[in-house]
RNA sequence: GCCCCCAUCGUCUAGCGGCCUAGGACGCCGCCCUCUCACGGCGGUGACACGGGUUCGAAUCCCGUUGGGGGUACCA
């Protein structure tokens, strides 16, 4: 018995054990799940949820549950190493650690499909030899024509080995593909979430399992790998559901037992559209239209994009994320960094200053409920409560407002040390002025904002005035300085505060500040002019802490400047 | 078009034949607290898609209609 055969045997052996016990004693049966992203972009929040559920399902079985990470890079054109690295880093940030896979290694030691070509080819040859797979010689153009013809006649196009009009011999310049001879029989999937579903034999088609470039397709690689890696439970997005019938056919042809499958509902946008990176392009286009920009020459020059590219982008010929990213800073409220693109990928949320635990908690609740009236659920509790029973069958909308609330909850409950730690991670991927501040100053600011921020990005933005000259909001200046006795209050405040003796500390300025706040008919009427003078805005943390951190000189200079306005 | 899945407040959901004049959370609205903004507290708005069955009894079971989602690639 060679190593792969023995592994295969081991799989069957282990699988049989779980097979009998599923539903009876799940805690003691072996569970092995995997997350298998294709490295063609960043890790999407939907993907993060799939990973989380798979992770939870495996980790629940603390004794013998295993969670595997596998990179499905069979698409040579779109896969990139950077993307794979990004996905790994996002998973790590979320705390979803894996037992086998890239970096950590494992039994198979090859967790990139592109490294496993020999294995796929071996089984491909086996299927070919048994007549369970065959070469097909159509060109892409021929296939397209066949499809169009079928559509014209209003019938479904299915490639089958006995269909009329097949290209029966190899053609010059066309490399053949290998197709799987899908059996003509009904196939039933016992889905862990959707239940028993049967697809009639006549509905199947002979899918491509090896592309003309020699790489296996997803369908083939996934079956081979899930088998060799001894995966017992496959949890994946519902978009894969119809594939499962083909995969079952493949398992049978290879003489293997299929794992259990569970298909997760999709995570969609508020308008029911699939949540995708396209959102970013959409947001940018909408903003350009809103601004009424018809001539793109200027915008193209400023963004560094070609005019043709920009025109194509606007004509929806491309949804390139890179374009959207280049254009966003030039649009919307330019003074505060331009148009904010919608967060779609995990790293977007990271840059916006969401806490990984909050994102995880939130994403867990889209499509699953722990039962009872629980909302805030820690990872540990998630592990205790998670069950496939609570998973919804309908697509779940991604409600950013609720995520924002939840992030705020986590921030308020976090210890200052945790917050500092999270800020450090946040600073590593962003460039706000707080990044360069001393740790003690960061601590002060975090304390001030803990109860009033929703994201770290919001805090970092609002706290800018501690580090740089504030940009004065004209409306606030008019309302609180020019009008409503603003100057009078400011003058008194200046007089009182400049008389503060000793060090400029909270203790020393508390009483004078109280004196200022007592000015005017309503207590605190004098607060707003000061706020605007020091921050340019009518909203800041409480004045005492704010002034203390700002320092004597900055406070007084800014007040003088405001008085001169 | 064809195949598959699904259907409770705007959103995420609880509910698995009587406990439901349908509960919670986010959002939204109002009030209180208050130096601004938040936080916090209190209250309010708001749903069983529709039509047939089954049953003493249906949000819960069955059928149909409508609606939504997924699939229909040499992408995963």
């Amino acid at each position: 018995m060679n190593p792969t055969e023995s592994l295969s045997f081991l799989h069957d052996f282990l699988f049989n054990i779980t097979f009998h016990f599923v539903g009876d004693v799940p805690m003691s049966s072996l569970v092995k799940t995997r997350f298998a992203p294709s490295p063609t972009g960043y890790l999407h929040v939907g993907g993060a949820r799939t990973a989380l559920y798979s992770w939870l399902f495996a980790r629940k079985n603390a004794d013998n549950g295993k969670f595997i990470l596998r990179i499905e890079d069979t698409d040579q054109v779109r896969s990139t190493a950077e993307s794979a690295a990004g996905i790994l880093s996002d998973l790590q940030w979320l705390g979803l650690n894996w037992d086998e896979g890239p970096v950590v290694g494992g039994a198979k030691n090859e967790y990139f499909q592109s490294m496993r070509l020999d294995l796929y080819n071996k089984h491909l040859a086996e299927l070919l030899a048994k007549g369970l797979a065959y070469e097909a010689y159509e060109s892409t153009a021929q296939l397209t024509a066949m499809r169009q013809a079928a559509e014209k006649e209003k019938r479904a196009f299915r490639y089958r080995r006995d269909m009329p009009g097949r290209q029966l011999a190899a053609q010059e310049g066309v490399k053949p593909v290998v197709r799987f001879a899908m059996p003509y029989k009904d196939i039933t999937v016992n889905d862990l979430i959707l239940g028993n579903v049967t697809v009639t034999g006549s509905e199947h088609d002979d899918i491509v399992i090896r592309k003309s470039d020699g790489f296996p397709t997803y369908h083939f690689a996934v079956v081979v790998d899930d088998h060799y890696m001894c995966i017992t439970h496959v949890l994946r997005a519902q978009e894969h559901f119809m594939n499962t019938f083909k995969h079952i056919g493949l398992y049978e042809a290879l003489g293997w037992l299929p794992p259990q499958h569970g298909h997760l509902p999709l995570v969609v946008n508020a308008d029911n559209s699939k949540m995708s990176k396209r959102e970013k392009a959409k947001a940018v286009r909408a903003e350009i239209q809103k601004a009424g920009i018809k001539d793109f020459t200027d915008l193209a020059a400023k963004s560094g994009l070609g005019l043709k590219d920009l025109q194509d982008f606007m004509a929806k010929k491309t949804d390139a994320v890179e374009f959207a990213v280049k254009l966003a800073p030039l649009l919307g409220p330019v003074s505060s960094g331009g148009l904010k693109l919608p967060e779609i990928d995990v790293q977007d949320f990271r840059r916006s200053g969401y806490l990984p635990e909050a994102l995880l908690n939130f994403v867990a609740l889209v499509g699953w409920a722990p039962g009872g009236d629980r909302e805030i659920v820690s990872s540990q509790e998630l592990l205790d409560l998670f069950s496939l029973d609570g998973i919804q069958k309908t697509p779940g909308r991604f409600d950013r407002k609720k995520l924002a609330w939840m992030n705020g909850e986590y921030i308020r409950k976090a210890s200052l040390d945790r917050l500092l730690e999270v800020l450090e991670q946040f600073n590593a991927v962003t460039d706000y002025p707080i990044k360069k501040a001393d740790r003690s100053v960061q601590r002060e600011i975090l304390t001030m904002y803990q109860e009033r921020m929703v994201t770290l990005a919001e805090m970092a933005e609002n706290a800018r005035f501690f580090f740089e000259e504030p940009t004065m909001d004209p409306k606030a200046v008019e309302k609180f300085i020019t009008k409503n006795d603003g100057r009078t209050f400011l003058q008194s405040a200046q007089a009182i505060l400049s008389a503060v003796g000793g060090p400029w500390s909270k203790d020393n300025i508390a009483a004078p500040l109280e004196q200022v706040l007592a000015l005017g008919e309503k207590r605190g009427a004098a607060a707003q002019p000061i706020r605007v003078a020091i921050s340019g805005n009518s909203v800041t943390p409480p004045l005492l802490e704010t002034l203390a951190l700002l320092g004597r000189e900055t406070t007084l200079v800014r007040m003088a400047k405001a008085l001169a306005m």
Side-chain angles (χ1 to χ4, degrees), chain A residues 26-332:
Chain A
M27 286 309 285
S28 61
S29 61
L30 176 123
V31 167
K32 213 166 173 188
T33 63
R34 48 56 165 196
F35 178 59
S38 74
T40 54
Y42 301 111
L43 179 63
H44 183 267
V45 282
R49 194 197 54 179
T50 303
L52 170 65
Y53 287 178
S54 300
W55 181 84
L56 286 170
F57 193 73
R59 288 279 179 275
K60 263 191 88 70
N61 299 274
D63 301 346
N64 43 15
K66 289 266 186 294
F67 175 62
I68 294 181
L69 178 64
R70 180 175 74 226
I71 304 296
E72 310 220 319
D73 55 348
T74 51
D75 185 338
Q76 288 194 83
V77 180
R78 296 193 302 155
S79 297
T80 67
E82 298 77 61
S83 167
I87 291 170
L88 258 50
S89 130
D90 285 340
L91 287 171
Q92 278 162 344
W93 179 69
L94 287 169
L96 302 179
N97 53 334
W98 52 97
D99 301 302
E100 291 174 28
V103 187
V104 302
K108 198 59 198 116
N109 213 21
E110 284 172 347
Y111 293 87
F112 286 79
Q113 291 186 326
S114 58
M115 298 166 71
R116 301 162 62 80
L117 257 34
D118 289 349
L119 180 62
Y120 308 128
N121 284 334
K122 182 193 145 196
H123 290 291
L124 225 13
E126 179 190 323
L127 289 183
L128 245 11
K130 285 186 184 160
L132 295 171
Y134 60 95
E135 289 196 330
Y137 308 105
E138 286 81 9
S139 65
T140 314
Q142 280 173 310
L143 248 17
T144 312
M146 289 160 97
R147 252 177 223 116
Q148 282 169 348
E151 199 179 331
K152 229 173 153 183
E153 292 168 34
K154 294 212 165 193
R155 73 191 153 75
F157 174 72
R158 293 187 189 88
Y159 193 106
R160 303 247 63 179
R161 49 200 175 280
D162 58 357
M163 70 193 281
R166 279 188 59 212
Q167 172 75 35
L168 293 170
Q171 310 184 71
E172 181 81 24
V174 178
K175 283 189 183 160
V177 297
V178 173
R179 285 182 184 268
F180 171 54
M182 187 73 181
Y184 285 88
K185 67 168 192 184
D186 296 1
I187 292 184
T188 299
V189 169
N190 309 116
D191 192 86
L192 295 165
I193 292 158
L194 298 175
N196 285 185
V197 182
T198 302
V199 166
T200 320
S202 58
E203 296 293 334
H204 305 315
D205 56 358
D206 292 355
I207 49 165
V208 172
I209 53 176
R210 186 181 67 195
K211 305 181 230 182
S212 53
D213 66 1
F215 270 57
T217 57
Y218 160 74
H219 303 295
F220 194 64
V222 80
V223 165
V224 171
D225 285 346
D226 283 342
H227 172 75
Y228 274 91
M229 294 178 184
C230 307
I231 303 302
T232 61
H233 301 258
V234 172
L235 300 181
R236 42 143 76 138
Q238 236 172 61
E239 61 193 9
H240 286 297
F241 186 59
M242 298 304 280
N243 293 335
T244 312
F245 300 90
K246 288 151 189 165
H247 299 173
I248 300 284
L250 243 12
Y251 278 106
E252 283 185 14
L254 291 161
W256 299 335
L257 272 166
Q260 302 263 291
H261 289 91
H263 288 89
L264 275 16
L266 259 34
V267 178
V268 299
N269 285 303
D271 63 353
N272 273 352
S273 61
K274 205 165 150 179
M275 225 178 145
S276 72
K277 25 203 148 203
R278 215 164 299 188
E279 301 300 298
K280 295 183 184 176
K282 232 161 96 183
V284 168
R285 265 198 290 268
E287 190 66 25
I288 292 179
Q289 270 160 9
K290 203 176 96 189
I293 302 173
K294 298 261 163 56
D295 180 8
F296 302 136
T297 328
D298 191 45
L299 202 53
K302 279 187 188 157
S303 62
L305 289 176
L307 184 59
K308 178 76 175 60
D309 283 346
L310 184 54
Q311 280 164 348
D312 282 354
F313 181 80
M314 289 309 290
K316 300 186 185 175
K317 283 183 189 161
T318 168
D319 288 323
V321 180
E322 315 86 73
F323 292 5
V325 169
K326 279 184 186 163
L327 290 163
L330 307 169
L331 302 163

Side-chain angles (χ1 to χ4, degrees), chain A residues 493-513 515-516 547 552 556:
Chain A
Q494 195 184 32
I496 296 170
L497 292 173
S498 57
V500 169
W504 184 265
S505 65
K506 252 159 84 170
D507 285 347
N508 285 340
I509 59 178
L513 183 61
Q515 217 181 316
V516 173
L547 295 187
R552 186 196 309 261
L556 294 174

Side-chain angles (χ1 to χ4, degrees), chain A residues 442-474:
Chain A
Q442 290 182 349
R443 184 177 275 273
E444 278 299 313
I445 289 182
L446 249 12
T447 309
M448 269 188 254
Y449 280 93
Q450 184 165 22
E451 283 200 341
R452 62 197 94 239
M453 69 167 137
V454 163
T455 62
L456 294 179
E458 184 193 273
M459 175 278 295
E461 189 56 47
N462 290 339
R464 279 197 122 93
F465 74 91
F466 283 107
F467 308 102
E468 17 184 81
E469 279 305 301
T471 41
M472 307 302 284
D473 171 15

